[in-house]
Coordinates of all heavy atoms in Angstrom, one line a residue:
L8 N 80.8 -39.7 7.9 CA 81.5 -40.5 6.9 C 81.8 -39.5 5.7 O 82.9 -39.7 5.1 CB 80.5 -41.6 6.3 CG 80.3 -42.7 7.3 CD1 79.2 -43.7 6.7 CD2 81.5 -43.5 7.6
N9 N 81.0 -38.6 5.4 CA 81.3 -37.6 4.3 C 82.5 -36.8 4.7 O 83.3 -36.4 3.8 CB 80.0 -36.8 4.0 CG 80.2 -35.8 2.9 OD1 80.6 -36.2 1.8 ND2 80.0 -34.6 3.1
Y10 N 82.6 -36.4 5.9 CA 83.7 -35.6 6.4 C 85.0 -36.4 6.3 O 86.0 -35.8 5.8 CB 83.5 -35.2 7.8 CG 84.6 -34.4 8.5 CD1 84.9 -33.1 8.1 CD2 85.5 -35.0 9.4 CE1 86.0 -32.4 8.6 CE2 86.5 -34.3 10.0 CZ 86.8 -33.0 9.6 OH 87.8 -32.4 10.1
I11 N 85.0 -37.6 6.6 CA 86.2 -38.5 6.5 C 86.6 -38.6 5.0 O 87.8 -38.5 4.7 CB 85.9 -39.9 7.1 CG1 85.7 -39.7 8.6 CG2 87.1 -40.8 6.8 CD1 85.3 -41.0 9.3
L12 N 85.6 -38.8 4.2 CA 85.9 -38.9 2.7 C 86.5 -37.6 2.2 O 87.4 -37.6 1.3 CB 84.7 -39.2 1.9 CG 84.1 -40.7 2.2 CD1 82.8 -40.9 1.4 CD2 85.1 -41.7 1.7
R13 N 86.0 -36.4 2.7 CA 86.6 -35.1 2.3 C 88.0 -35.0 2.7 O 88.8 -34.4 2.0 CB 85.7 -34.0 2.8 CG 84.4 -33.8 2.1 CD 83.7 -32.5 2.4 NE 83.2 -32.5 3.7 CZ 83.5 -31.6 4.6 NH1 84.3 -30.6 4.3 NH2 82.9 -31.6 5.8
L14 N 88.3 -35.5 3.9 CA 89.7 -35.4 4.4 C 90.7 -36.3 3.5 O 91.9 -35.9 3.5 CB 89.8 -35.9 5.8 CG 89.1 -35.0 6.9 CD1 89.3 -35.6 8.3 CD2 89.7 -33.6 6.9
H15 N 90.2 -37.3 2.9 CA 91.0 -38.2 2.1 C 90.9 -37.9 0.6 O 91.1 -38.8 -0.3 CB 90.7 -39.6 2.4 CG 91.1 -40.1 3.7 ND1 90.3 -39.8 4.8 CD2 92.2 -40.7 4.2 CE1 90.8 -40.3 5.9 NE2 92.0 -40.8 5.6
T16 N 90.5 -36.7 0.2 CA 90.4 -36.3 -1.2 C 91.8 -36.4 -1.9 O 92.8 -35.8 -1.3 CB 89.9 -34.9 -1.4 OG1 88.6 -34.8 -0.7 CG2 89.8 -34.5 -2.8
P17 N 92.0 -37.1 -3.0 CA 93.3 -37.3 -3.6 C 93.7 -36.0 -4.4 O 93.6 -35.9 -5.6 CB 93.0 -38.4 -4.6 CG 91.6 -38.3 -4.9 CD 90.9 -37.8 -3.7
K18 N 94.3 -35.0 -3.6 CA 94.7 -33.8 -4.2 C 96.0 -33.8 -4.9 O 96.3 -33.0 -5.7 CB 94.8 -32.7 -3.1 CG 93.5 -32.5 -2.3 CD 93.7 -31.5 -1.2 CE 92.4 -31.3 -0.4 NZ 92.6 -30.4 0.8
Q19 N 96.8 -34.9 -4.6 CA 98.2 -34.9 -5.2 C 98.3 -36.0 -6.3 O 99.4 -36.3 -6.7 CB 99.2 -35.3 -4.1 CG 99.0 -34.4 -2.8 CD 99.3 -32.9 -3.1 OE1 100.1 -32.6 -4.0 NE2 98.7 -32.1 -2.4
H20 N 97.2 -36.4 -6.9 CA 97.2 -37.5 -7.9 C 96.8 -37.0 -9.3 O 96.3 -37.8 -10.1 CB 96.4 -38.7 -7.4 CG 96.9 -39.3 -6.2 ND1 96.7 -38.9 -4.9 CD2 97.7 -40.4 -6.1 CE1 97.3 -39.6 -4.0 NE2 97.9 -40.6 -4.7
G21 N 96.8 -35.7 -9.5 CA 96.4 -35.2 -10.8 C 95.0 -34.7 -10.8 O 94.2 -34.9 -9.9
R22 N 94.7 -33.9 -11.8 CA 93.4 -33.2 -11.9 C 92.2 -34.1 -12.1 O 91.2 -34.0 -11.5 CB 93.5 -32.1 -13.0 CG 92.2 -31.3 -13.1 CD 92.4 -30.2 -14.2 NE 93.4 -29.3 -13.8 CZ 93.8 -28.3 -14.6 NH1 93.4 -28.2 -15.8 NH2 94.8 -27.5 -14.2
L23 N 92.4 -35.1 -13.0 CA 91.3 -36.0 -13.4 C 90.8 -36.9 -12.2 O 89.6 -36.9 -11.9 CB 91.7 -36.8 -14.6 CG 90.5 -37.7 -15.2 CD1 89.4 -36.8 -15.6 CD2 91.0 -38.5 -16.4
P24 N 91.8 -37.6 -11.5 CA 91.3 -38.4 -10.4 C 90.7 -37.5 -9.3 O 89.7 -37.9 -8.7 CB 92.6 -39.0 -9.8 CG 93.5 -39.0 -11.0 CD 93.2 -37.8 -11.8
F25 N 91.2 -36.3 -9.1 CA 90.6 -35.4 -8.1 C 89.2 -35.0 -8.4 O 88.3 -35.1 -7.6 CB 91.5 -34.1 -8.0 CG 90.9 -33.0 -7.2 CD1 90.7 -33.1 -5.9 CD2 90.5 -31.8 -7.9 CE1 90.2 -32.0 -5.2 CE2 90.0 -30.8 -7.2 CZ 89.8 -30.9 -5.8
L26 N 89.0 -34.6 -9.7 CA 87.6 -34.2 -10.1 C 86.6 -35.4 -10.1 O 85.5 -35.2 -9.7 CB 87.7 -33.6 -11.5 CG 88.5 -32.3 -11.6 CD1 88.5 -31.8 -13.0 CD2 87.9 -31.2 -10.7
A27 N 87.1 -36.6 -10.6 CA 86.3 -37.7 -10.6 C 85.9 -38.1 -9.1 O 84.7 -38.5 -8.9 CB 87.0 -38.9 -11.2
Y28 N 86.8 -38.0 -8.2 CA 86.5 -38.4 -6.8 C 85.5 -37.4 -6.2 O 84.5 -37.8 -5.6 CB 87.8 -38.3 -6.0 CG 87.7 -38.6 -4.5 CD1 87.8 -39.9 -4.1 CD2 87.4 -37.6 -3.6 CE1 87.7 -40.2 -2.7 CE2 87.3 -37.9 -2.3 CZ 87.4 -39.2 -1.8 OH 87.3 -39.5 -0.5
E29 N 85.7 -36.1 -6.5 CA 84.7 -35.1 -5.9 C 83.3 -35.3 -6.6 O 82.3 -35.2 -5.9 CB 85.3 -33.7 -6.2 CG 86.3 -33.3 -5.2 CD 85.9 -33.3 -3.8 OE1 84.8 -32.7 -3.5 OE2 86.6 -33.9 -3.0
F30 N 83.3 -35.6 -7.9 CA 82.0 -35.8 -8.5 C 81.3 -37.0 -7.9 O 80.1 -36.9 -7.6 CB 82.2 -36.0 -10.0 CG 80.9 -36.3 -10.8 CD1 80.1 -35.3 -11.2 CD2 80.5 -37.6 -11.0 CE1 78.9 -35.5 -11.9 CE2 79.4 -37.9 -11.7 CZ 78.6 -36.9 -12.1
T31 N 82.0 -38.1 -7.7 CA 81.4 -39.3 -7.2 C 81.0 -39.1 -5.7 O 79.9 -39.6 -5.3 CB 82.4 -40.5 -7.3 OG1 82.8 -40.6 -8.7 CG2 81.8 -41.8 -6.8

């Protein structure tokens, strides 16, 4: 499940959503 979530990291939606997603 963690691998699937890593594949769907929002890299193209700005820095703040990207960092918040990775932190969570």
Side-chain angles (χ1 to χ4, degrees):
L8 292 174
N9 185 51
Y10 176 74
I11 295 173
L12 291 175
R13 285 194 289 126
L14 291 179
H15 291 83
T16 302
K18 303 177 183 178
Q19 309 299 330
H20 296 82
R22 182 177 297 174
L23 187 58
F25 168 68
L26 296 178
Y28 180 89
E29 282 300 309
F30 177 86
T31 305

